[in-house]
Structures are given as C-alpha cells and as structure tokens.
Coordinates of all heavy atoms in Angstrom, one line a residue:
M1 N 0.8 -1.2 -0.1 CA 0.0 0.0 0.0 C 0.9 1.2 0.0 O 0.5 2.2 -0.6 CB -1.0 0.0 1.2 CG -2.0 1.1 1.2 SD -3.2 0.7 -0.1 CE -4.1 2.3 -0.1
Q2 N 1.9 1.2 0.7 CA 2.8 2.4 0.8 C 3.5 2.6 -0.5 O 3.6 3.9 -1.0 CB 3.9 2.2 1.8 CG 3.5 3.0 3.1 CD 4.6 2.9 4.2 OE1 5.4 1.9 4.1 NE2 4.7 3.8 5.1
T3 N 3.9 1.6 -1.2 CA 4.7 1.8 -2.5 C 3.5 2.3 -3.4 O 3.9 3.2 -4.3 CB 5.0 0.4 -3.1 OG1 4.1 -0.5 -2.8 CG2 6.4 0.2 -2.5
L4 N 2.3 1.9 -3.4 CA 1.2 2.5 -4.3 C 1.1 3.9 -4.1 O 1.0 4.9 -5.0 CB 0.0 1.8 -3.9 CG -1.0 1.7 -5.1 CD1 -0.4 0.7 -6.2 CD2 -2.4 1.2 -4.7
I5 N 1.0 4.4 -2.9 CA 0.9 5.9 -2.4 C 2.1 6.7 -3.1 O 2.0 7.7 -3.7 CB 0.7 6.1 -1.0 CG1 -0.7 5.5 -0.5 CG2 0.8 7.6 -0.7 CD1 -0.9 5.4 0.9
L6 N 3.3 6.0 -2.8 CA 4.6 6.7 -3.3 C 4.6 6.8 -4.9 O 4.9 7.8 -5.4 CB 5.7 5.8 -2.9 CG 7.1 6.5 -3.0 CD1 7.3 7.5 -1.9 CD2 8.2 5.5 -3.0
L7 N 4.2 5.7 -5.4 CA 4.1 5.7 -7.0 C 3.1 6.9 -7.5 O 3.4 7.6 -8.4 CB 3.7 4.4 -7.6 CG 4.8 3.4 -7.7 CD1 4.3 2.1 -8.1 CD2 5.9 3.8 -8.6
F8 N 1.9 6.9 -6.8 CA 1.0 7.9 -7.2 C 1.5 9.3 -7.0 O 1.3 10.2 -7.8 CB -0.3 7.7 -6.3 CG -1.5 8.6 -6.8 CD1 -2.1 8.3 -8.0 CD2 -1.8 9.6 -5.8 CE1 -3.2 9.1 -8.3 CE2 -2.9 10.4 -6.3 CZ -3.6 10.1 -7.5
T9 N 2.2 9.6 -5.8 CA 2.8 10.9 -5.5 C 3.8 11.3 -6.6 O 3.8 12.4 -7.2 CB 3.4 10.9 -4.2 OG1 2.6 10.2 -3.3 CG2 3.7 12.3 -3.7
I10 N 4.6 10.3 -7.0 CA 5.6 10.6 -8.1 C 4.9 10.9 -9.4 O 5.3 11.8 -10.1 CB 6.6 9.4 -8.3 CG1 7.5 9.3 -7.0 CG2 7.4 9.5 -9.6 CD1 8.3 8.0 -7.0
F11 N 3.9 10.2 -9.8 CA 3.0 10.4 -11.0 C 2.5 11.9 -11.0 O 2.6 12.6 -12.0 CB 2.1 9.4 -10.9 CG 1.1 9.5 -12.2 CD1 1.5 9.2 -13.5 CD2 -0.2 10.0 -12.0 CE1 0.8 9.4 -14.5 CE2 -1.0 10.1 -13.1 CZ -0.6 9.8 -14.4
I12 N 2.0 12.3 -9.8 CA 1.4 13.6 -9.7 C 2.5 14.7 -9.9 O 2.3 15.7 -10.6 CB 0.7 13.8 -8.4 CG1 -0.6 12.9 -8.3 CG2 0.2 15.2 -8.2 CD1 -1.8 13.3 -9.1
V13 N 3.7 14.5 -9.3 CA 4.7 15.4 -9.4 C 5.2 15.5 -10.9 O 5.4 16.7 -11.4 CB 5.9 15.0 -8.4 CG1 7.2 15.7 -8.7 CG2 5.6 15.3 -7.0
I14 N 5.3 14.4 -11.6 CA 5.7 14.5 -12.9 C 4.7 15.2 -13.8 O 5.1 16.1 -14.5 CB 6.0 13.0 -13.4 CG1 7.3 12.4 -12.9 CG2 6.0 13.0 -15.0 CD1 7.4 10.9 -13.1
L15 N 3.4 15.0 -13.5 CA 2.5 15.7 -14.3 C 2.5 17.2 -14.0 O 2.2 18.0 -14.9 CB 1.0 15.1 -13.9 CG 0.4 13.9 -14.5 CD1 -1.0 13.7 -14.1 CD2 0.5 14.2 -16.0
L16 N 2.7 17.5 -12.7 CA 2.8 19.0 -12.5 C 4.0 19.7 -13.2 O 4.0 20.7 -13.6 CB 3.0 19.1 -10.9 CG 2.4 20.4 -10.3 CD1 0.9 20.3 -10.2 CD2 3.0 20.5 -8.9
L17 N 5.1 18.9 -13.1 CA 6.4 19.3 -13.9 C 6.1 19.5 -15.3 O 6.5 20.7 -15.9 CB 7.5 18.5 -13.7 CG 8.1 18.5 -12.2 CD1 9.2 17.5 -12.2 CD2 8.7 19.9 -12.0
I18 N 5.4 18.7 -16.1 CA 5.0 18.8 -17.4 C 4.2 20.0 -17.5 O 4.4 20.8 -18.5 CB 4.4 17.5 -17.9 CG1 5.4 16.3 -18.0 CG2 3.9 17.7 -19.3 CD1 4.9 15.1 -18.2
Y19 N 3.2 20.1 -16.7 CA 2.3 21.3 -17.0 C 3.0 22.7 -16.7 O 2.9 23.6 -17.5 CB 1.2 21.2 -15.7 CG 0.3 22.4 -15.7 CD1 -0.7 22.5 -16.7 CD2 0.5 23.3 -14.7 CE1 -1.6 23.6 -16.6 CE2 -0.4 24.5 -14.6 CZ -1.4 24.5 -15.6 OH -2.2 25.7 -15.5
I20 N 3.9 22.7 -15.8 CA 4.8 23.9 -15.5 C 5.6 24.2 -16.7 O 5.7 25.4 -17.2 CB 5.6 23.8 -14.3 CG1 4.7 23.9 -13.0 CG2 6.6 25.0 -14.0 CD1 5.3 23.5 -11.6
F21 N 6.1 23.2 -17.2 CA 7.1 23.4 -18.4 C 6.3 24.0 -19.7 O 6.7 24.9 -20.2 CB 7.6 22.0 -18.8 CG 8.4 22.0 -20.1 CD1 9.8 22.6 -20.2 CD2 7.9 21.6 -21.3 CE1 10.4 22.8 -21.4 CE2 8.6 21.5 -22.5 CZ 9.9 22.1 -22.5
F22 N 5.1 23.4 -19.8 CA 4.3 24.0 -21.0 C 3.7 25.3 -20.7 O 3.6 26.2 -21.6 CB 3.2 23.0 -21.4 CG 3.7 21.8 -22.2 CD1 3.9 20.6 -21.8 CD2 4.0 22.0 -23.5 CE1 4.4 19.5 -22.5 CE2 4.5 21.1 -24.4 CZ 4.6 19.8 -23.9
K23 N 3.4 25.5 -19.6 CA 2.9 26.9 -19.2 C 4.0 28.0 -19.2 O 3.7 28.9 -19.8 CB 2.4 26.8 -17.6 CG 1.6 27.9 -17.3 CD 0.2 27.8 -17.8 CE -0.7 28.9 -17.4 NZ -1.9 29.0 -18.3
S24 N 5.2 27.7 -18.9 CA 6.2 28.7 -19.0 C 6.6 28.9 -20.4 O 6.9 30.1 -20.9 CB 7.5 28.3 -18.2 OG 8.1 27.2 -18.8
K25 N 6.5 27.9 -21.3 CA 6.7 28.0 -22.8 C 5.7 28.9 -23.3 O 5.9 29.7 -24.2 CB 6.8 26.7 -23.4 CG 7.6 26.6 -24.6 CD 7.8 25.3 -25.2 CE 8.5 25.5 -26.6 NZ 8.7 24.4 -27.4
Q26 N 4.4 28.7 -22.9 CA 3.3 29.4 -23.4 C 3.4 30.9 -23.0 O 3.2 31.8 -23.8 CB 2.0 28.9 -22.9 CG 0.8 29.1 -24.0 CD -0.3 28.4 -23.5 OE1 -0.7 28.4 -22.1 NE2 -1.2 27.9 -24.3
N27 N 3.8 31.1 -21.8 CA 4.2 32.5 -21.3 C 5.2 33.2 -22.3 O 5.1 34.4 -22.5 CB 4.5 32.3 -19.8 CG 3.4 32.3 -18.9 OD1 2.2 32.5 -19.4 ND2 3.6 32.1 -17.7
R28 N 6.2 32.4 -22.4 CA 7.4 33.0 -23.3 C 6.8 33.5 -24.7 O 7.1 34.5 -25.3 CB 8.4 32.1 -23.4 CG 9.3 31.9 -22.2 CD 10.4 30.9 -22.5 NE 11.5 31.3 -23.1 CZ 12.6 31.8 -22.6 NH1 12.5 31.9 -21.1 NH2 13.6 32.2 -23.2
L29 N 5.9 32.6 -25.3 CA 5.4 32.8 -26.6 C 4.5 34.0 -26.7 O 4.5 35.0 -27.4 CB 4.6 31.6 -27.1 CG 3.9 31.7 -28.4 CD1 4.9 32.1 -29.6 CD2 3.2 30.5 -28.7
F30 N 3.7 34.2 -25.5 CA 2.7 35.4 -25.4 C 3.5 36.6 -25.3 O 3.2 37.7 -25.9 CB 1.7 35.2 -24.3 CG 0.5 34.4 -24.6 CD1 0.2 33.2 -24.0 CD2 -0.3 34.8 -25.7 CE1 -0.9 32.6 -24.2 CE2 -1.4 34.2 -26.0 CZ -1.7 33.0 -25.4
S31 N 4.6 36.5 -24.5 CA 5.5 37.7 -24.2 C 6.1 38.0 -25.7 O 6.3 39.2 -25.9 CB 6.4 37.6 -23.1 OG 7.8 37.7 -23.5
L32 N 6.6 37.0 -26.3 CA 7.2 37.4 -27.7 C 6.3 37.9 -28.6 O 6.5 38.8 -29.4 CB 7.8 36.1 -28.3 CG 9.1 35.7 -27.7 CD1 9.5 34.1 -28.1 CD2 10.2 36.5 -28.1
L33 N 5.0 37.5 -28.7 CA 4.0 37.9 -29.5 C 3.6 39.4 -29.1 O 3.3 40.2 -30.1 CB 2.8 36.9 -29.5 CG 2.9 35.8 -30.2 CD1 1.6 34.9 -30.0 CD2 2.9 36.1 -31.8
S34 N 3.6 39.6 -28.0 CA 3.2 41.1 -27.6 C 4.5 42.0 -27.7 O 4.4 43.2 -27.5 CB 2.8 41.1 -26.0 OG 3.8 40.8 -25.2
G35 N 5.6 41.6 -28.1 CA 6.9 42.4 -28.5 C 7.8 42.5 -27.2 O 8.6 43.5 -27.3
T36 N 7.7 41.7 -26.3 CA 8.6 41.8 -25.2 C 9.5 40.5 -25.1 O 9.1 39.5 -25.3 CB 7.9 41.9 -23.8 OG1 6.9 42.9 -24.0 CG2 8.8 42.2 -22.6
C37 N 10.8 40.8 -24.9 CA 11.7 39.7 -24.9 C 11.6 39.0 -23.6 O 11.8 39.7 -22.6 CB 13.1 40.1 -25.2 SG 14.3 39.0 -24.9
P38 N 11.4 37.7 -23.4 CA 11.4 37.1 -22.2 C 12.7 36.8 -21.5 O 12.8 36.5 -20.3 CB 10.7 35.6 -22.5 CG 11.1 35.5 -24.0 CD 11.2 36.8 -24.7
S39 N 13.8 37.0 -22.2 CA 15.1 36.8 -21.7 C 15.7 38.1 -21.2 O 16.1 38.2 -19.9 CB 16.0 36.3 -22.8 OG 17.4 36.2 -22.3
C40 N 15.7 39.3 -21.9 CA 16.3 40.5 -21.4 C 15.2 41.6 -20.9 O 15.5 42.6 -20.6 CB 17.2 41.0 -22.3 SG 16.5 41.5 -23.9
K41 N 13.9 41.1 -21.1 CA 12.8 42.0 -20.7 C 12.7 43.3 -21.4 O 12.1 44.2 -21.0 CB 12.6 42.3 -19.2 CG 12.8 41.0 -18.3 CD 11.5 40.3 -18.2 CE 11.6 39.0 -17.5 NZ 10.8 38.0 -18.1
E42 N 13.5 43.3 -22.6 CA 13.5 44.5 -23.4 C 12.0 44.6 -24.2 O 11.6 43.5 -24.7 CB 14.5 44.4 -24.4 CG 14.9 45.8 -25.1 CD 15.8 46.7 -24.0 OE1 16.8 46.2 -23.6 OE2 15.3 47.8 -23.8
T43 N 11.5 45.8 -24.2 CA 10.2 45.9 -25.0 C 10.4 47.0 -26.1 O 11.4 47.6 -26.1 CB 9.1 46.3 -24.0 OG1 7.8 46.3 -24.7 CG2 9.4 47.6 -23.4
K44 N 9.4 46.9 -26.9 CA 9.5 47.9 -28.0 C 9.5 49.3 -27.6 O 8.9 49.6 -26.6 CB 8.4 47.6 -29.0 CG 7.0 47.9 -28.5 CD 6.0 47.5 -29.6 CE 4.5 47.6 -29.0 NZ 3.5 47.1 -29.9
K45 N 10.3 50.0 -28.2 CA 10.5 51.5 -28.0 C 9.6 52.2 -28.8 O 9.4 52.2 -30.1 CB 11.9 51.9 -28.3 CG 12.9 51.3 -27.3 CD 14.3 51.5 -27.5 CE 15.3 51.0 -26.4 NZ 15.4 49.7 -26.6
V46 N 9.0 53.3 -28.2 CA 8.0 54.2 -28.7 C 8.6 55.6 -28.8 O 8.8 56.1 -27.6 CB 6.6 54.1 -28.2 CG1 5.7 55.0 -29.1 CG2 6.1 52.7 -28.3
F47 N 8.8 56.3 -30.0 CA 9.2 57.7 -29.9 C 8.1 58.5 -30.4 O 7.4 58.1 -31.3 CB 10.5 57.7 -30.9 CG 11.6 56.8 -30.6 CD1 11.9 55.7 -31.3 CD2 12.4 57.2 -29.5 CE1 12.9 54.9 -30.9 CE2 13.5 56.4 -29.1 CZ 13.8 55.1 -29.9
F48 N 8.1 59.6 -29.9 CA 7.1 60.6 -30.4 C 7.8 61.9 -30.9 O 8.6 62.5 -30.2 CB 6.2 61.0 -29.2 CG 5.1 61.9 -29.6 CD1 4.1 61.5 -30.4 CD2 5.0 63.3 -29.1 CE1 3.0 62.3 -30.8 CE2 3.9 64.1 -29.6 CZ 3.1 63.5 -30.2
D49 N 7.5 62.1 -32.2 CA 8.1 63.3 -32.9 C 7.1 64.4 -32.8 O 5.9 64.3 -33.3 CB 8.4 62.9 -34.3 CG 9.2 64.1 -35.1 OD1 9.8 64.8 -34.3 OD2 9.0 64.0 -36.2
K50 N 7.4 65.5 -32.1 CA 6.5 66.6 -31.8 C 6.3 67.4 -33.1 O 5.2 68.0 -33.3 CB 7.0 67.5 -30.7 CG 6.9 67.0 -29.4 CD 7.4 67.9 -28.4 CE 7.2 67.3 -26.9 NZ 8.0 68.0 -25.9
T51 N 7.3 67.5 -33.9 CA 7.1 68.4 -35.1 C 6.2 67.7 -36.2 O 5.4 68.5 -36.7 CB 8.4 68.6 -35.8 OG1 9.1 67.3 -36.0 CG2 9.4 69.4 -35.0
S52 N 6.1 66.4 -36.2 CA 5.2 65.9 -37.2 C 4.0 65.1 -36.6 O 3.2 64.6 -37.1 CB 6.0 64.9 -38.2 OG 6.5 63.9 -37.4
N53 N 4.1 65.2 -35.2 CA 3.0 64.6 -34.3 C 2.8 63.1 -34.6 O 1.6 62.6 -34.8 CB 1.6 65.4 -34.7 CG 1.4 66.3 -33.4 OD1 2.1 66.3 -32.4 ND2 0.4 67.1 -33.5
T54 N 3.7 62.5 -34.9 CA 3.7 61.0 -35.2 C 4.5 60.1 -34.2 O 5.4 60.6 -33.6 CB 4.2 60.6 -36.6 OG1 5.3 61.3 -36.9 CG2 3.1 60.9 -37.5
H55 N 4.0 58.9 -34.0 CA 4.7 57.9 -33.1 C 5.5 57.0 -34.0 O 5.1 56.5 -35.0 CB 3.7 57.0 -32.3 CG 3.0 57.8 -31.2 ND1 3.6 58.0 -30.0 CD2 1.8 58.3 -31.1 CE1 2.8 58.7 -29.2 NE2 1.6 59.0 -29.8
F56 N 6.7 56.8 -33.6 CA 7.6 55.8 -34.2 C 7.8 54.6 -33.2 O 8.2 54.8 -32.1 CB 9.0 56.5 -34.6 CG 8.9 57.6 -35.7 CD1 8.9 58.8 -35.2 CD2 8.6 57.3 -36.9 CE1 8.7 59.9 -36.2 CE2 8.5 58.2 -37.9 CZ 8.6 59.5 -37.5
T57 N 7.7 53.4 -33.6 CA 7.9 52.4 -32.9 C 9.0 51.5 -33.5 O 9.1 51.3 -34.6 CB 6.6 51.5 -32.8 OG1 6.1 51.1 -34.1 CG2 5.6 52.0 -31.8
Q58 N 9.9 51.2 -32.5 CA 11.0 50.4 -33.0 C 10.9 48.9 -32.3 O 11.0 48.7 -31.0 CB 12.3 51.0 -32.5 CG 13.5 50.4 -33.2 CD 14.9 50.6 -32.5 OE1 14.9 51.4 -31.6 NE2 15.9 50.0 -32.9
E59 N 10.6 48.0 -33.1 CA 10.4 46.5 -32.6 C 11.7 45.9 -32.1 O 12.7 46.0 -32.8 CB 9.6 45.7 -33.6 CG 8.2 46.3 -34.0 CD 7.1 45.9 -33.0 OE1 7.4 45.1 -32.1 OE2 6.1 46.5 -33.1
I60 N 11.6 45.3 -30.9 CA 12.8 44.5 -30.4 C 12.7 43.1 -31.0 O 13.7 42.5 -31.4 CB 12.7 44.6 -29.0 CG1 13.2 45.9 -28.4 CG2 13.7 43.5 -28.3 CD1 14.5 46.4 -28.8
I61 N 11.5 42.5 -31.0 CA 11.3 41.1 -31.4 C 11.0 41.1 -33.0 O 10.1 41.8 -33.4 CB 10.2 40.5 -30.7 CG1 10.4 40.5 -29.2 CG2 10.0 38.9 -31.1 CD1 11.6 39.8 -28.7
K62 N 11.9 40.4 -33.7 CA 11.7 40.2 -35.1 C 11.1 38.9 -35.4 O 11.9 37.9 -35.4 CB 12.9 40.6 -35.9 CG 13.4 41.9 -35.8 CD 13.7 42.6 -37.0 CE 14.4 44.0 -36.9 NZ 13.6 44.9 -36.0
P63 N 9.8 38.7 -35.7 CA 9.3 37.3 -36.2 C 9.6 37.1 -37.6 O 9.6 37.8 -38.4 CB 7.9 37.4 -35.9 CG 7.5 38.9 -35.9 CD 8.9 39.7 -35.7
R64 N 10.0 35.8 -37.8 CA 10.2 35.4 -39.1 C 9.5 34.0 -39.5 O 9.8 33.1 -38.7 CB 11.8 35.2 -39.3 CG 12.1 35.1 -40.8 CD 13.7 35.4 -40.9 NE 14.4 34.3 -40.2 CZ 15.0 33.3 -41.0 NH1 14.9 33.2 -42.1 NH2 15.7 32.3 -40.2
V65 N 8.7 34.0 -40.4 CA 7.9 32.8 -40.7 C 8.7 31.9 -41.5 O 9.3 32.1 -42.5 CB 6.7 33.1 -41.4 CG1 5.9 31.8 -41.8 CG2 5.7 34.1 -40.6
L66 N 9.0 30.8 -40.9 CA 9.9 29.7 -41.6 C 9.0 28.8 -42.5 O 9.4 28.6 -43.7 CB 10.6 28.9 -40.6 CG 11.7 29.6 -39.7 CD1 12.2 28.6 -38.7 CD2 12.7 30.2 -40.5
K67 N 7.9 28.3 -42.0 CA 7.0 27.5 -42.7 C 5.6 27.9 -42.5 O 5.2 28.1 -41.4 CB 7.2 26.0 -42.3 CG 8.0 25.2 -43.2 CD 8.1 23.9 -42.8 CE 9.3 23.2 -43.3 NZ 9.6 21.9 -42.6
D68 N 4.8 28.1 -43.6 CA 3.5 28.5 -43.4 C 2.6 27.6 -44.0 O 2.6 27.2 -45.2 CB 3.3 29.9 -44.2 CG 2.0 30.6 -43.8 OD1 1.2 29.9 -43.2 OD2 1.8 31.8 -44.1
Y69 N 1.6 27.0 -43.3 CA 0.7 26.0 -43.9 C -0.6 26.5 -44.0 O -1.6 25.9 -44.0 CB 0.6 24.8 -42.8 CG 1.9 24.2 -42.5 CD1 2.6 24.4 -41.4 CD2 2.6 23.3 -43.5 CE1 3.9 23.8 -41.1 CE2 3.8 22.7 -43.1 CZ 4.4 23.0 -42.0 OH 5.7 22.4 -41.7
G70 N -0.7 27.8 -44.4 CA -2.0 28.4 -44.6 C -2.6 29.1 -43.4 O -2.1 28.7 -42.3
C71 N -3.6 29.9 -43.4 CA -4.1 30.6 -42.4 C -4.9 29.7 -41.4 O -5.2 30.1 -40.2 CB -5.1 31.7 -42.9 SG -4.6 33.2 -42.0
S72 N -5.3 28.5 -41.7 CA -5.9 27.6 -40.9 C -5.1 26.6 -40.2 O -5.5 25.7 -39.4 CB -7.1 26.9 -41.7 OG -6.5 26.2 -42.9
G73 N -3.9 26.5 -40.7 CA -2.9 25.5 -40.0 C -1.9 26.0 -39.0 O -2.3 27.0 -38.3
V74 N -0.9 25.4 -39.0 CA 0.2 25.8 -37.9 C 1.3 26.5 -38.8 O 1.7 26.3 -39.9 CB 0.7 24.5 -37.3 CG1 1.7 24.8 -36.3 CG2 -0.4 23.7 -36.6
K75 N 2.0 27.4 -38.1 CA 3.0 28.2 -38.6 C 4.3 27.8 -37.8 O 4.2 27.9 -36.5 CB 2.8 29.7 -38.7 CG 2.0 30.1 -39.8 CD 1.9 31.7 -39.7 CE 0.9 32.1 -40.8 NZ 0.4 33.4 -40.5
D76 N 5.4 27.8 -38.4 CA 6.7 27.7 -37.8 C 7.4 29.1 -37.8 O 7.7 29.6 -38.8 CB 7.6 26.8 -38.4 CG 7.2 25.3 -38.1 OD1 6.6 25.1 -37.2 OD2 7.8 24.4 -38.8
V77 N 7.4 29.8 -36.6 CA 7.9 31.1 -36.6 C 9.1 31.2 -35.7 O 9.2 30.7 -34.6 CB 6.8 32.1 -36.0 CG1 7.3 33.5 -36.0 CG2 5.5 32.0 -36.8
E78 N 10.1 31.9 -36.2 CA 11.4 32.2 -35.5 C 11.4 33.5 -34.9 O 11.2 34.5 -35.7 CB 12.5 31.8 -36.4 CG 13.9 32.0 -35.7 CD 15.0 31.9 -36.7 OE1 15.2 33.0 -37.3 OE2 15.6 30.9 -36.8
F79 N 11.6 33.8 -33.6 CA 11.6 35.0 -33.1 C 13.0 35.4 -32.7 O 13.8 34.5 -32.2 CB 10.7 35.0 -31.8 CG 9.3 34.9 -32.0 CD1 8.6 33.7 -31.9 CD2 8.5 36.0 -32.3 CE1 7.3 33.5 -32.0 CE2 7.2 35.8 -32.4 CZ 6.5 34.6 -32.5
L80 N 13.5 36.6 -33.2 CA 14.8 36.9 -32.9 C 14.7 38.3 -32.1 O 14.1 39.3 -32.6 CB 15.6 37.2 -34.3 CG 16.9 37.4 -34.3 CD1 17.8 36.2 -33.9 CD2 17.5 38.0 -35.5
C81 N 15.4 38.3 -31.1 CA 15.6 39.5 -30.3 C 16.8 40.2 -30.7 O 17.9 39.8 -30.7 CB 15.6 39.1 -28.8 SG 16.0 40.5 -27.7
T82 N 16.5 41.6 -31.1 CA 17.6 42.4 -31.6 C 18.5 43.0 -30.6 O 19.6 43.5 -30.7 CB 17.1 43.4 -32.5 OG1 16.1 44.2 -31.7 CG2 16.4 43.0 -33.8
S83 N 18.0 42.9 -29.3 CA 18.7 43.4 -28.1 C 19.7 42.4 -27.6 O 20.8 42.8 -27.3 CB 17.7 43.9 -27.1 OG 18.4 44.4 -26.0
C84 N 19.3 41.2 -27.3 CA 20.2 40.2 -26.7 C 20.5 39.1 -27.6 O 21.4 38.2 -27.2 CB 19.7 39.6 -25.4 SG 18.2 38.8 -25.5
G85 N 19.9 39.1 -28.7 CA 20.3 38.0 -29.7 C 19.6 36.6 -29.4 O 19.9 35.6 -29.9
L86 N 18.6 36.6 -28.6 CA 17.8 35.5 -28.3 C 17.0 35.0 -29.6 O 16.4 35.8 -30.3 CB 16.7 35.7 -27.3 CG 15.7 34.6 -26.9 CD1 16.1 33.8 -25.7 CD2 14.4 35.3 -26.7
K87 N 17.1 33.5 -29.8 CA 16.5 33.1 -31.0 C 15.6 32.0 -30.5 O 16.2 31.0 -30.0 CB 17.4 32.7 -32.0 CG 17.1 32.6 -33.4 CD 18.2 31.9 -34.3 CE 18.7 33.0 -35.2 NZ 19.8 32.3 -36.1
E88 N 14.4 32.0 -30.8 CA 13.5 30.8 -30.4 C 12.6 30.6 -31.5 O 11.9 31.3 -32.1 CB 12.7 31.3 -29.0 CG 13.5 31.1 -27.9 CD 12.9 31.2 -26.5 OE1 11.7 31.1 -26.6 OE2 13.5 31.5 -25.5
L89 N 12.3 29.1 -31.6 CA 11.4 28.7 -32.6 C 10.2 28.2 -31.9 O 10.2 27.4 -31.1 CB 12.2 27.6 -33.4 CG 11.5 27.2 -34.6 CD1 11.8 28.0 -35.8 CD2 12.0 25.8 -35.1
Y90 N 8.9 28.6 -32.5 CA 7.7 28.1 -32.0 C 6.8 27.7 -33.3 O 6.9 28.3 -34.3 CB 7.0 29.3 -31.3 CG 7.5 29.5 -30.0 CD1 8.5 30.5 -29.8 CD2 7.2 28.6 -28.9 CE1 9.0 30.8 -28.6 CE2 7.7 29.0 -27.7 CZ 8.6 30.0 -27.5 OH 9.2 30.3 -26.2
S91 N 6.1 26.6 -33.0 CA 5.1 26.3 -33.9 C 3.8 26.9 -33.4 O 3.3 26.3 -32.4 CB 4.9 24.7 -34.1 OG 6.0 24.3 -34.6
I92 N 3.2 27.9 -34.1 CA 2.1 28.5 -33.4 C 0.9 28.2 -34.4 O 1.0 28.1 -35.5 CB 2.3 30.1 -33.2 CG1 2.7 30.8 -34.5 CG2 3.2 30.2 -32.0 CD1 2.8 32.2 -34.2
N93 N -0.3 28.2 -33.6 CA -1.5 28.1 -34.3 C -1.8 29.5 -35.0 O -1.7 30.4 -34.4 CB -2.6 27.8 -33.3 CG -3.8 27.1 -33.9 OD1 -4.1 27.3 -35.0 ND2 -4.4 26.2 -33.1
S94 N -2.3 29.4 -36.3 CA -2.5 30.6 -37.0 C -3.7 31.4 -36.3 O -3.5 32.6 -36.6 CB -2.9 30.2 -38.4 OG -1.8 29.6 -39.0
Q95 N -4.5 30.9 -35.7 CA -5.5 31.7 -35.1 C -4.9 32.7 -34.1 O -5.6 33.7 -33.8 CB -6.6 30.9 -34.4 CG -7.6 30.3 -35.4 CD -8.1 28.9 -35.1 OE1 -7.7 28.3 -34.1 NE2 -8.8 28.4 -35.9
M96 N -3.8 32.2 -33.5 CA -3.2 33.1 -32.5 C -2.4 34.2 -33.1 O -2.4 35.3 -32.6 CB -2.4 32.2 -31.6 CG -2.4 32.4 -30.1 SD -1.8 31.0 -29.4 CE -0.2 31.2 -29.1
G97 N -1.8 33.9 -34.2 CA -0.9 35.1 -34.9 C -1.0 34.9 -36.4 O 0.0 34.8 -37.0
C98 N -2.3 35.1 -36.9 CA -2.4 35.0 -38.3 C -1.7 36.3 -39.0 O -1.4 36.1 -40.2 CB -3.9 34.9 -38.6 SG -4.2 34.3 -40.3
G99 N -1.7 37.4 -38.4 CA -1.1 38.6 -38.9 C 0.4 38.6 -39.1 O 0.9 39.5 -39.8
I100 N 1.0 37.6 -38.5 CA 2.5 37.6 -38.6 C 3.1 37.2 -39.9 O 2.5 36.3 -40.5 CB 3.2 36.8 -37.5 CG1 2.8 37.3 -36.2 CG2 4.7 36.6 -37.7 CD1 3.2 36.4 -34.9
Ligands
ZN1 ZN1 16.3 39.9 -25.6

C-alpha cells in the first residue's frame, strides 16, 4: 500500500512538472507575440516626434515565418531579439498570430 501511494505521488509530481514546463513555454510565446523579450525583458520602444505629431515604434522582437501551412494551419515562426540575440522557434496556431 505504501509503494502505491509513493508511486501515485511521483506520478502527480511528474504531471505537475510537465504542466509547469508547457505553461512557461506558453508565457514566453505570449510575451514574444506582444513584443517583449522573455530573456532580457526589453520591450518595443516608442518615440514621439513633436514636429510631425507621429509615433515611431522600434520593434525589439523580429518574427520570421519559416514555414506557413496556410491561415488555418500551423506556422513555424522564429523570433529573434535584436537586443540580446535570443532566438526561439515556435510552432504557433494561426488563429493566435495570423497577422505575422
Ligand atoms: Zn532579448
């Protein structure tokens, strides 16, 4: 009986670790999609030009589509941080970032 409880506890811990792993990966993807680097926390810079009354945005994260399976499929997108050189590859659902 004791070994059964021990095995069950180990099983729960492994499930929890897998969940945390995927959750943190998803958080990184969301931060990359919103334009913030998850590694160096650098975000896009917005400049305001008073003479022409316009906003200039300088993106830190540069997404690059490697493979596109159409707007209803999955996309392989490489995110490159211009500040720290972080490079991460994600297969994202097109409904999440069809505009990229
Ligand atoms: Zn960075």
Side-chain angles (χ1 to χ4, degrees):
M1 191 66 195
Q2 254 182 342
T3 41
L4 209 71
I5 292 169
L6 193 75
L7 278 174
F8 186 72
T9 317
I10 290 168
F11 179 71
I12 293 291
V13 166
I14 288 169
L15 274 185
L16 211 74
L17 284 175
I18 291 170
Y19 175 76
I20 290 168
F21 173 75
F22 278 104
K23 196 78 184 162
S24 72
K25 204 174 174 187
Q26 209 176 35
N27 279 347
R28 284 175 84 88
L29 177 61
F30 274 123
S31 117
L32 282 167
L33 281 173
S34 66
T36 310
C37 176
S39 179
C40 63
K41 306 286 176 216
E42 197 79 54
T43 184
K44 63 181 171 192
K45 291 180 175 70
V46 181
F47 302 102
F48 184 68
D49 188 22
K50 277 179 187 165
T51 50
S52 58
N53 260 352
T54 42
H55 285 279
F56 294 100
T57 49
Q58 194 197 354
E59 297 284 344
I60 287 293
I61 304 295
K62 296 230 186 308
R64 193 161 67 97
V65 178
L66 300 178
K67 263 183 197 160
D68 193 350
Y69 303 100
C71 228
S72 55
V74 180
K75 270 180 193 170
D76 285 342
V77 182
E78 184 190 72
F79 292 95
L80 186 77
C81 174
T82 52
S83 181
C84 68
L86 171 98
K87 203 187 253 188
E88 282 191 19
L89 189 80
Y90 286 97
S91 294
I92 55 169
N93 204 325
S94 294
Q95 280 146 0
M96 229 155 84
C98 199
I100 294 174

